[in-house]
Amino acid sequence: MNLADSAFLRACRRQPVPHTPVWYMRQAGRSLPEYLKVREGVPMLTACARPDLIVEITLQPVRRYGVDAAIFFSDIVVPLKAIGVDLDIKPGVGPVIADPIRDHAGLEALRPLEPDDVPYVTESIQALVGELGGTPLIGFAGAPFTLASYLIEGGPSKNHDHTKAMMYGEPALWHALMDRLTGIVIEHLRVQIRAGASAIQLFDSWVGAVAPDDYREFVMPYTQRIFAAVPEVPRIHFGVGTGELLGVLGEAGPDVVGVDWRVPLDEAARRVGPGKALQGNLDPAILLAPWEAVEPRARQILERGRAAEGHVFNLGHGVLPSTDPDQLRRLTDLVHSFTSEA
């Protein structure tokens, strides 16, 4: 199949599709026994820098589930690690930063990203494009707000106290930090696109913590710069808890707005407005229930997704570690069969 004819890329561009395309955030990883086997004894950031593991792990869910797109196996903090930020991904915790950035001196740790900093990204994507054939590969990056939150807090945070204190109380420092992170993110995405990624997703996982007016002032200018810098492929924007932000997320310039499970897709289409496709939005926890509970929910999402100009079926956040892979295989088959033309 010609890559441009893939259902996923066509849906992102709001073109007619033979069926609703489907992929899953965190489809590669913790829920797959084959993933746990190849990752055994290998730290996360080590795995993210080994092309052999990146390729294998990226391909695993495509083989098992028959999804319409692969997503590059990596982590949003990889470019920060590549420029020398002292960080680690601790199992069960997440990214932990040794020296949180709380002042202008801390900014000096953030130098620009160069392609030579991440040769394993280029090598892995080039290999994957050859393996995937007509299946698109999604590249991704963390958005500046979410990266800033980790850098300022020193790790995951429920309330983003230090982050918001800087944003509101030291706006000059905040904007300087966001500006540096924006340059790093743009180069990281460009490396992936040059290597052959067919689409990109910008994960602003924690931006749901801010109000719409604050998003416009403190976040949107940087998100807009990122999307404007990578116009050659479909661009997806996703955050958790962003129901109140869906309209402004769309204004930031993506082609596709990701929706978590809290807002029905028909309502999300109304909030986002015309000219965008939507992605989502089954609650990942539903997959822990019996299939009899999953199927009607998935059908309802597909029905509501018809309100969007284009719909990519996905979960409202990442696959949970205890998910039975057979549930995702059945879900993929259901999405394809339910939406195929008669």
Side-chain angles (χ1 to χ4, degrees):
M1 180 185 71
N2 186 327
L3 196 58
D5 289 332
S6 78
F8 167 73
L9 293 176
R10 289 184 65 85
C12 289
R13 295 182 174 120
R14 297 175 289 122
Q15 297 169 341
V17 291
H19 59 263
T20 297
V22 53
W23 71 279
Y24 306 110
M25 288 181 279
R26 293 196 187 136
Q27 64 187 14
R30 304 167 294 177
S31 64
L32 289 176
E34 56 265 42
Y35 168 81
L36 298 173
K37 184 177 179 182
V38 299
R39 268 290 313 280
E40 195 171 357
V42 182
M44 178 64 177
L45 286 170
T46 302
C48 291
R50 281 183 47 183
D52 60 330
L53 287 180
I54 294 169
V55 171
E56 169 60 21
I57 293 168
T58 301
L59 291 173
Q60 285 175 349
V62 180
R63 297 187 197 115
R64 185 183 270 262
Y65 303 138
V67 285
D68 294 281
I71 184 162
F72 185 62
F73 174 73
S74 188
D75 190 273
I76 64 170
V77 298
V78 161
L80 300 180
K81 180 76 170 179
I83 62 169
V85 176
D86 187 354
L87 63 86
D88 194 16
I89 298 177
K90 297 198 173 176
V93 178
V96 177
I97 312 294
D99 300 303
I101 294 176
R102 305 276 172 83
D103 53 30
H104 282 280
L107 286 180
E108 299 312 308
L110 297 178
R111 65 167 176 83
L113 180 75
E114 304 290 343
D116 289 345
D117 294 323
V118 286
Y120 43 86
V121 171
T122 299
E123 181 181 339
S124 304
I125 289 179
Q126 288 174 341
L128 280 163
V129 170
E131 293 276 351
L132 286 165
T135 301
L137 176 67
I138 304 167
F140 74 90
F145 177 88
T146 293
L147 294 178
S149 175
Y150 284 122
L151 288 170
I152 297 166
E153 303 291 340
S157 170
K158 285 187 177 179
N159 299 316
H160 310 279
D161 313 34
H162 295 290
T163 306
K164 288 187 172 183
M166 182 190 292
M167 190 174 78
Y168 295 130
E170 297 185 80
L173 177 58
W174 172 262
H175 287 294
L177 174 58
M178 291 290 279
D179 181 67
R180 290 203 181 202
L181 289 171
T182 297
I184 291 165
V185 170
I186 287 171
E187 185 55 35
H188 189 49
L189 291 173
R190 282 176 169 164
V191 166
Q192 295 175 70
I193 293 166
R194 284 194 295 262
S198 299
I200 60 98
Q201 176 156 313
L202 190 65
F203 284 91
D204 213 346
S205 304
W206 309 137
V207 80
V210 304
D213 285 350
D214 293 327
Y215 181 88
R216 288 182 190 278
E217 180 177 353
F218 295 108
V219 182
M220 185 191 280
Y222 305 99
T223 312
Q224 286 176 321
R225 265 176 55 194
I226 292 167
F227 286 132
V230 290
E232 56 269 60
V233 298
R235 300 152 297 179
I236 309 167
H237 197 13
F238 174 74
V240 186
T242 51
E244 294 300 320
L245 298 178
L246 287 173
V248 288
L249 291 183
E251 288 176 38
D255 303 289
V256 186
V257 176
V259 185
D260 78 4
W261 66 91
R262 296 171 177 86
V263 179
L265 285 182
D266 47 359
E267 171 61 16
R270 188 190 69 76
R271 294 185 189 185
V272 171
K276 308 288 178 185
L278 298 184
Q279 179 175 280
N281 68 338
L282 185 71
D283 186 340
I286 290 173
L287 292 168
L288 307 182
W291 176 250
E292 293 69 30
V294 176
E295 183 173 5
R297 296 279 188 140
R299 289 176 180 270
Q300 184 182 61
I301 285 166
L302 290 166
E303 290 286 2
R304 286 177 163 165
R306 297 182 196 277
E309 295 178 28
H311 178 210
V312 176
F313 188 94
N314 206 316
L315 306 180
H317 200 195
V319 175
L320 297 171
S322 54
T323 303
D324 180 353
D326 288 342
Q327 291 278 67
L328 287 168
R329 173 77 241 191
R330 291 183 76 175
L331 181 58
T332 307
D333 290 343
L334 171 67
V335 172
H336 286 163
S337 63
F338 185 72
T339 58
S340 292
E341 294 173 351

